[in-house]
Structures are given as C-alpha cells and as structure tokens.
Amino acid sequence: MGSTKVIVSKFGGSSMKDADAIRRSAKIAADHHSSLVVVSATYGTTNQLIEIAKTAQTLPWEETLPMIEAIKENHRQIAKDLGATAADSEEIEILLSELETLAKGINLLKDAPVKVMDRLQSLGERLSSPLMTIALRDTQEKKTENFDVRKVMLTTDQFGKGVPQIKEIQELCQKYLLAAKYGDQTFVTQGFIGATSEGETTTLGRGGSDYSAALLAEGLGADLLEIWTDVAGIATTDPRICPEARPINEITFQEAAELAVFGAKILHPTTLAPVQRVAIPVFVGSSYEPDAPGTWIKAQSGHQPLVRAMAIKKDQALLTLTTPKMLDSHGFLAKIFSFFEKHKVSVDAITTSEISVAMTVDITTLQNKELFKDLETVGTVSTEKSLSLVSLIGNNINHTPGLAQKVFTSIHNESEPINVRMICLGASRHNFCLVVNEDQANLAVKRLHKTFIEDSL
Ligand code: ADP
Ligand code: ASP
Ligand code: MG
C-alpha cells in the first residue's frame, strides 16, 4: 500500500514537453505518491491541432499532411525515448490514425463544427496520457493504469465549453477510481476533455486541465491537489510581463480565484471552485524545480496584505448601452442581463450611470450578432475594442481609504500618460479593476507593481 494521503497531481503542457520533461514529471508523481495524475497535451499540441483544422478547412490536403506528420513524429519519438513496448506503440498508432481520419473528414467537408473540433482537440490529451503512463510505470512499483477520463467527466453538450456535472462526476469517481483512493494503484488520466451522457467527446475550454484536476480531486475526496507548471508557483504578477514579480508562498482561495478569473494564466478561471467547495488545499509548483517552495492555496492565510498580486485580462471589449428609458425606471439591468444569460456571455466588469451601462466582455462577443440584436431592442449600443482589464487583487480593497488615489498616482506619468477608460471598485473586498488600452496594459501593471509590491516591502 502507498501513502494514505490522496493526492491528485496535474502536469501542464510544458511539464509534458518531451521525454525528459515527462520523466521528470513522473518522478514527482512517484515521489509524492500521487493517486491520480492528470495531464495536459504535450507542449503546443492543442494549438497545432487547431491549426490542422483551420488548414484542412481551407487548403488542399497536401498542406495539412505535413502538420499531421509533425504531431505523429513528435509523439512516436517521445514514446520511443520513453521505451514504449509494442502494445504501447500500437495504442498510440490508433490515436494517430484517428487524427488523420478526422483531419481528412474536415478537409473533405471543408467544415469543422465545434463537436468535431472537440474530438480533434481531445487527441492532444489522449496521446499524452499513455506517454505519462509509460514513464510512471517505469518509475514506480505501484500499479499504473491509463484511465479514460470520459468515463467520469460528464459534461453538458455545450461543445467547446462543456459544463461539468458535479454530482454525477463525484458518483462516477467513487465508482471507477476507488483503487486510486485506497493507494494500491495510480491512474493517469486526461485533463481538458469530458463526454456528454451520449458519450460524445467535449472539452472544458482552453487551459481546462487545471479545472479537470480540481473536479477530479473533489470527486475523489482528495487531500491535496498539486498543479505542476513551468514557474515555481503563483507570483505577484506574470513574470513574463514583469521580471520583478515575486513568488507568493501562501494565498487564499478567494484571492487566487480572483487572480485566475481576472486573467492570470497560471490557473484556469474555474479551477478553484471545486476544491474550495470541499476545502482541499492546492499546491502550485514547477516541475523543473520541484523542491522550490511554490505556492500554497488555502482557505485562510495568516498574512492578508492589501495588495497581494495583479493580473491582466487581454482581448476585452467595452459595450456601452445608452437609453433615456433607464432614467427613473426599474428592471432595466435585469432585462439586459437576461440577454447575456440567454446568449451565455459573461461580463467581467460593469459600471452604470443614470442612462447608460458599460460592460467589459471578451472580444469574441462582438461576433455575437444575436446578442446585439437583443441589446438594441432596449437602447443604443456602442463598442470599443483593443482594451485590457488590469486588476489589483488583495484584501479589504473596498474599505481602504486613499487606495484609488494611490492607484491613479502610481499609473500617472506625464511623459507617457495611461488613459484609464473605466474603473470598478467597491463590489469586491478582493479586487480593483481598471480598463486601459491593450498596448498600455503591461506598462500599467509594471507601474502598479512598482508602487504596491516593490516599493511597499
Ligand atoms: P501549463 O501549461 O502548465 O498549464 P500555463 O502556461 O497555462 O502552464 O501557465 C503558466 C504560465 O502562467 C507561466 O509561465 C506564466 O507566464 C503565466 N502567469 C500568469 N500570471 C502568473 C502569475 N501571477 N504567477 C505565475 N505565473 C503566471
Ligand atoms: N491542452 C489544453 C490547452 O492547451 C488544456 C490545458 O493545457 O490545460 O488548452
Ligand atoms: Mg494552463
């Protein structure tokens, strides 16, 4: 029997890049006695699969073929480097021929409906999990088995963004994954993908493997969720934007969830909801530096700074709906939001005046003609593009006098002024948002980071 702790460990694309990275990740899983290992596609593969679909739809087959060959070659090479058996290779070849068949179908039909896109993208994770299984089998004595997550990850048929069915997932985890729970077996499974009750493959949205791992941790009643990535934990901001970013040792669920929702790519936005429901602590660390301190996400943290971190959410558009009918009347906002609900569009930040309401939405919303048709029945809609949402995440933000002034002083600079298009303050204890032009968002974060993190220590 292994450890009595039930640990779910998730390895992202960069931790699954090649045979060395996969071996390193397998060693972490073995050393930590992981019960369930959840993997992403190998680095870049999901993007390549999406490119294949685009090419197959528009260009002759000869253009698509080399792209398929590249994925085949990469996975065969990794399998070989990991010492795959004939049976392992056969399993991988079956998946590679499915890839070719699907791409051929897209090429013939010159169409790739979302349902087909989900099936195609699922191949990334369905190919990487047997690779991790080979590596882990060679690293530990405990029995290791590749498990098809579609048996337990039940979602709605909203292809491209399937909504996980929490209760059923829990029941299915208890039915199929008990051997992992009681320590005599490790399952390796796929992040990002699920299936409808009809057995059709779905995905949870880009970056969704973190969310899968959290749902499985909840379903299994795990003691710990580990998210292994390419940085040693959550930092005060994205280190790619601001090299001065500092590691955060401990952060609360609420703060980390705000960071994820407001754009910090390190965690998929919905990751924390399942583990927060059942208070499973989360560790975020680098598979390249497994002994680095990393970040602990917990229900409570001893230190509650005013500003813990900051994030950027790019590709935002601002919708402003203006109507004199809003004046002195009620039910308007409810009506507007019923349209957002109907079209399944989420709004990130909102402000209202007496006759208008301004909302930020993802840029892709601008293509939603039906939503606009509905909104125009209640007022005039204007749109602005190329915006980013910059957020300060911390504690007691809405009750701290002088904070707004400090934010504005910090981002103001005569030589390069930053135009703040909208602010949102007051709704959350944990968040202060600014909408700025996309090309000034990094600069805004650097200036805020200097004031609130670098100069305040
Ligand atoms: P994975 O493939 O392991 O899921 P991702 O690329 O999705 O990894 O997420 C890791 C990346 O998130 C980091 O390389 C980093 O650039 C980015 N990131 C964004 N915000 C933060 C933050 N606050 N702290 C650490 N990394 C961040
Ligand atoms: N492979 C998927 C993606 O690239 C899911 C993930 O990595 O989390 O979006
Ligand atoms: Mg990710």
Side-chain angles (χ1 to χ4, degrees):
M1 290 285 273
S3 155
T4 48
K5 276 209 162 167
V6 179
I7 298 178
V8 174
S9 309
K10 177 258 170 177
F11 294 90
S14 43
S15 306
M16 298 290 295
K17 199 179 186 126
D18 49 28
D20 284 344
I22 297 176
R23 259 194 229 106
R24 206 179 301 121
S25 299
K27 182 165 182 327
I28 295 172
D31 288 350
H32 289 219
H33 306 288
S34 301
S35 310
L36 183 63
V37 175
V38 181
V39 296
S40 289
T42 56
Y43 187 76
T45 301
T46 311
N47 288 344
Q48 281 176 300
L49 291 166
I50 294 170
E51 283 309 311
I52 286 176
K54 281 190 193 149
T55 310
Q57 266 182 96
T58 46
L59 296 171
W61 181 240
E62 295 68 50
E63 303 285 328
T64 315
L65 209 49
M67 300 168 82
I68 295 175
E69 281 309 316
I71 291 192
K72 285 188 176 178
E73 187 45 44
N74 185 32
H75 287 83
R76 283 177 185 148
Q77 186 63 49
I78 299 177
K80 185 164 166 249
D81 293 347
L82 290 173
T85 62
D88 297 328
S89 299
E90 200 180 318
E91 193 184 339
I92 288 163
E93 287 307 318
I94 292 171
L95 294 166
L96 294 175
S97 22
E98 182 179 332
L99 163 61
E100 188 160 341
T101 310
L102 279 171
K104 189 87 208 166
I106 293 172
N107 184 250
L108 285 172
L109 295 170
K110 297 276 178 262
D111 191 16
V114 243
K115 193 193 275 196
V116 175
M117 283 306 291
D118 273 0
R119 180 90 198 179
L120 183 71
Q121 288 179 76
S122 77
L123 282 161
E125 274 69 11
R126 286 163 61 213
L127 277 162
S128 65
S129 60
L131 297 174
M132 172 58 97
T133 309
I134 300 169
L136 190 56
R137 206 176 52 200
D138 286 351
T139 315
Q140 66 177 11
E141 285 184 1
K142 215 163 104 176
K143 190 174 167 208
T144 309
E145 191 184 311
N146 187 25
F147 176 79
D148 189 337
V149 83
R150 291 171 295 180
K151 285 188 193 153
V152 297
M153 191 58 67
L154 186 75
T155 75
T156 58
D157 62 0
Q158 212 180 316
F159 293 96
K161 216 170 182 27
V163 179
Q165 302 301 288
I166 316 291
K167 201 169 145 278
E168 288 83 352
I169 292 170
Q170 285 179 3
E171 285 164 9
L172 292 163
C173 281
Q174 294 300 322
K175 178 168 170 196
Y176 288 105
L177 297 172
L178 278 189
K181 189 160 180 173
Y182 293 111
D184 54 358
Q185 190 165 348
T186 305
F187 288 105
V188 176
T189 199
Q190 309 80 37
F192 181 52
I193 70 170
T196 65
S197 53
E198 304 287 299
E200 287 182 303
T201 303
T202 53
T203 62
L204 308 186
R206 292 302 309 268
S209 296
D210 300 329
Y211 188 28
S212 305
L215 288 160
L216 295 167
E218 179 188 35
L220 208 56
D223 297 295
L224 171 64
L225 169 63
E226 299 176 339
I227 306 267
W228 295 99
T229 179
D230 60 352
V231 284
I234 302 179
T236 47
T237 193
D238 188 342
R240 286 185 214 185
I241 295 172
C242 184
E244 291 78 19
R246 296 169 188 198
I248 296 172
N249 294 332
E250 199 178 84
I251 185 168
T252 61
F253 283 126
Q254 279 170 324
E255 292 169 290
E258 294 267 354
L259 258 182
V261 170
F262 284 93
K265 193 190 168 209
I266 184 134
L267 290 177
H268 178 272
T270 36
T271 309
L272 294 168
V275 281
Q276 197 171 359
R277 279 194 288 266
V278 280
I280 299 173
V282 181
F283 174 79
V284 184
S286 164
S287 65
Y288 292 80
E289 284 177 84
D291 297 325
T295 303
W296 283 94
I297 311 176
K298 296 178 169 169
Q300 258 143 23
S301 157
H303 177 49
Q304 301 254 302
L306 174 63
V307 176
R308 175 95 71 185
M310 45 209 67
I312 296 185
K313 195 162 185 174
K314 297 215 157 129
D315 299 322
Q316 296 285 295
L318 189 67
L319 300 189
T320 308
L321 197 141
T322 308
T323 170
K325 289 187 214 152
M326 246 175 96
L327 200 64
D328 273 341
S329 91
H330 51 83
F332 249 97
L333 289 178
K335 187 152 192 194
I336 293 167
F337 281 100
S338 72
F339 296 142
F340 283 99
E341 197 198 349
K342 176 174 158 197
H343 297 285
K344 298 196 169 68
V345 168
S346 77
V347 171
D348 291 311
I350 168 166
T351 59
T352 64
S353 78
E354 271 183 335
I355 58 159
S356 54
V357 41
M359 296 150 286
T360 62
V361 290
D362 191 88
I363 189 87
T364 51
T365 308
L366 298 187
Q367 288 150 20
N368 195 329
K369 303 262 177 317
E370 297 301 311
L371 170 71
F372 278 82
K373 228 188 257 170
D374 278 343
L375 289 175
E376 274 152 11
T377 61
V378 291
T380 315
V381 186
S382 65
T383 56
E384 289 169 56
K385 291 189 263 192
S386 307
L387 297 170
S388 290
L389 199 59
V390 169
S391 312
L392 287 182
I393 313 293
N395 297 282
N396 220 19
I397 284 196
N398 53 353
H399 287 114
T400 303
L403 179 66
Q405 188 189 357
K406 198 167 169 189
V407 167
F408 282 103
T409 314
S410 136
I411 61 168
H412 183 69
N413 182 323
E414 293 289 340
S415 61
E416 196 177 342
I418 292 177
N419 178 30
V420 177
R421 183 58 196 80
M422 178 173 133
I423 68 164
C424 260
L425 168 66
S428 162
R429 282 170 54 77
H430 300 290
N431 185 324
F432 185 153
C433 286
L434 310 162
V435 177
V436 299
N437 287 335
E438 196 128 272
D439 56 3
Q440 291 192 308
N442 288 4
L443 182 61
V445 165
K446 281 178 189 224
R447 288 183 184 164
L448 290 167
H449 195 269
K450 173 121 189 29
T451 305
F452 287 97
I453 309 284
E454 293 155 50
D455 293 352
S456 76
L457 291 175

